Amino acid sequence: MPLNQQILLDNRPIGEAVASNFKLTSSETPALKDGQVLVRHHFLSLDPYMRGRMNDTKNYAAAQPLGQVMIGGTAGEILESRSPKFQPGDKVVGMGGWQQYSVVDAEQPGALRKVDTTQVPLSHYLGAVGMPGVTAYYGLVKIIEPKAGQTVAVSAATGAVGSAFAALAKARGCRTVGIAGGPDKCQYAVNELGFDACIDYKLYKDAASLSAALKEACPNGIDGYFENVGGMVLNAVLPLMNDFGRIAVCGMIAGYDGEPTPITHPALILRSRLKVQGFIVSEHMEVWPEALKELGTLVAAGKLRPRETIAQGLQAAPEAFLGLLKGRNFGKQLVKLI
């Protein structure tokens, strides 16, 4: 069996995460038992939620155990199978973690999903046509529930979730406004992703000035907002929310280092009778088939052209992940393992 390189969580971050929180190691891949398959990972997905798992605090999911392989989505190929459900050569997506290979119990529901790479590249199944895409779908379709002509906005607009959000919202006839960091990302949002406007939050020193810029881009107010960031960005959006607006809360990357991210004027939630709902996409597996079908169709039709930032080799994962938390990536952050 092949030697397997792995990255473990070695120690927990104090404040900001650093490269020395991780440890590169290698181990023998165990022999397969009946019902198991050996997966060779081609791509590892890096996602902001991983930062929350590194803390040993109450969270919506269990903390990442110390000394264990870091959690993470993977896309790859079946090398060996002792399960009738999979054949060598099948392309699959699962949660293989920060390692080159994984041994998976193929009988476990949802552990591995076979994917078709004839129309959609394998890497896209970790982004636009994977967990981030379904996240955008659930927040938009099930929580925001937009109607044609309404205005919707999303923070982290050019990331994997924001990219899918734009395509889904435009398909529903919405004015779609993004918030992103830097002129390159904002141009890409408008020219490539189809946003009607994108505001560069880095140009504004406080929530009031960012809110004024957003107001120009959203002259009719905001009916639905998809939150990935929190902090100053949420405080800029809240005053612009229309009565009975809906906010889908998916991430709070501004607070992942443990600092509180207070809402300045929570009374706006009452005044505008807003619905504010947090969600975790893995708790809504029933919507995945319909979401993945629409997302795959959008990619195949060229209406969703996701961009990827790809780091080379497993040893590059920690620095790529730390860069993701600082917004250095463009689109979906992946690590190519083969």
Side-chain angles (χ1 to χ4, degrees):
M1 297 297 274
L3 195 66
N4 183 19
Q5 276 201 324
Q6 304 170 309
I7 290 182
L8 317 179
L9 181 63
D10 188 55
N11 54 82
R12 299 201 187 279
I14 299 163
E16 204 171 290
V18 291
S20 59
N21 297 140
F22 304 98
K23 181 181 180 183
L24 180 65
T25 184
S26 59
S27 66
E28 292 283 337
T29 307
L32 296 187
K33 297 175 182 161
D34 284 343
Q36 291 185 328
V37 295
L38 175 65
V39 184
R40 173 70 163 107
H41 303 150
H42 290 213
F43 294 97
L44 163 66
S45 172
L46 298 179
D47 299 280
Y49 77 81
M50 296 169 175
R51 177 63 190 85
R53 298 275 185 98
M54 290 169 74
N55 297 337
D56 192 15
T57 53
K58 182 172 169 19
N59 205 330
Y60 57 77
Q64 164 74 39
L66 289 175
Q68 300 282 318
V69 176
M70 273 292 290
I71 189 170
T74 46
E77 181 178 352
I78 302 287
L79 278 193
E80 197 184 323
S81 175
R82 291 188 61 179
S83 162
K85 292 183 178 177
F86 296 96
Q87 302 302 316
D90 286 348
K91 300 294 191 290
V92 292
V93 174
M95 291 296 284
W98 294 28
Q99 56 184 343
Q100 293 172 310
Y101 300 89
S102 59
V103 172
V104 182
D105 179 1
E107 305 305 312
Q108 197 182 329
L112 278 183
R113 185 165 57 89
K114 216 180 291 190
V115 294
D116 177 4
T117 55
T118 53
Q119 297 276 306
V120 177
L122 179 61
S123 59
H124 285 12
Y125 286 106
L126 292 174
V129 195
M131 182 271 290
V134 181
T135 299
Y137 180 94
Y138 189 86
L140 179 71
V141 176
K142 303 298 182 181
I143 296 177
I144 292 173
E145 298 181 301
K147 295 180 174 58
Q150 290 189 332
T151 296
V152 295
V154 60
S155 53
T158 60
V161 174
S163 305
F165 182 92
L168 293 164
K170 292 309 293 180
R172 286 161 176 76
C174 295
R175 177 169 176 78
T176 307
V177 176
I179 303 163
D184 292 350
K185 288 185 177 179
C186 288
Q187 283 169 7
Y188 166 69
V190 173
N191 298 337
E192 294 283 327
L193 294 177
F195 280 94
D196 294 291
C198 187
I199 304 300
D200 179 0
Y201 73 84
K202 290 186 174 176
L203 296 177
Y204 304 97
K205 64 184 189 304
D206 55 32
S209 53
L210 176 58
S211 194
L214 270 170
K215 190 170 185 176
E216 281 188 39
C218 306
N220 299 320
I222 297 173
D223 299 293
Y225 175 54
F226 192 108
E227 179 61 286
N228 289 308
V229 175
M232 178 179 104
V233 177
L234 178 56
N235 286 323
V237 170
L238 273 176
L240 305 178
M241 293 297 299
N242 289 331
D243 287 353
F244 305 104
R246 290 82 61 200
I247 299 176
V249 183
C250 164
M252 287 272 175
I253 201 167
Y256 279 174
D257 289 339
E259 291 298 313
T261 50
I263 297 175
T264 314
H265 298 295
L268 291 167
I269 297 169
L270 172 59
R271 190 189 78 190
S272 301
R273 284 88 81 213
L274 303 179
K275 176 171 92 169
V276 182
Q277 185 175 333
F279 73 99
I280 308 300
V281 73
S282 57
E283 294 176 348
H284 304 283
M285 296 311 290
E286 73 286 351
V287 309
W288 282 58
E290 67 190 68
L292 291 169
K293 185 178 176 188
E294 181 174 352
L295 291 157
T297 303
L298 287 168
V299 169
K303 291 180 177 171
L304 172 51
R305 294 195 295 275
R307 193 156 156 182
E308 297 170 333
T309 298
I310 299 180
Q312 296 292 333
L314 184 66
Q315 69 284 355
E319 286 298 346
F321 175 63
L322 299 175
L324 163 78
L325 295 177
K326 291 191 162 27
R328 290 191 193 123
N329 60 305
F330 213 125
K332 173 70 198 170
Q333 179 68 60
L334 297 166
V335 183
K336 195 168 192 292
L337 301 174
I338 195 165

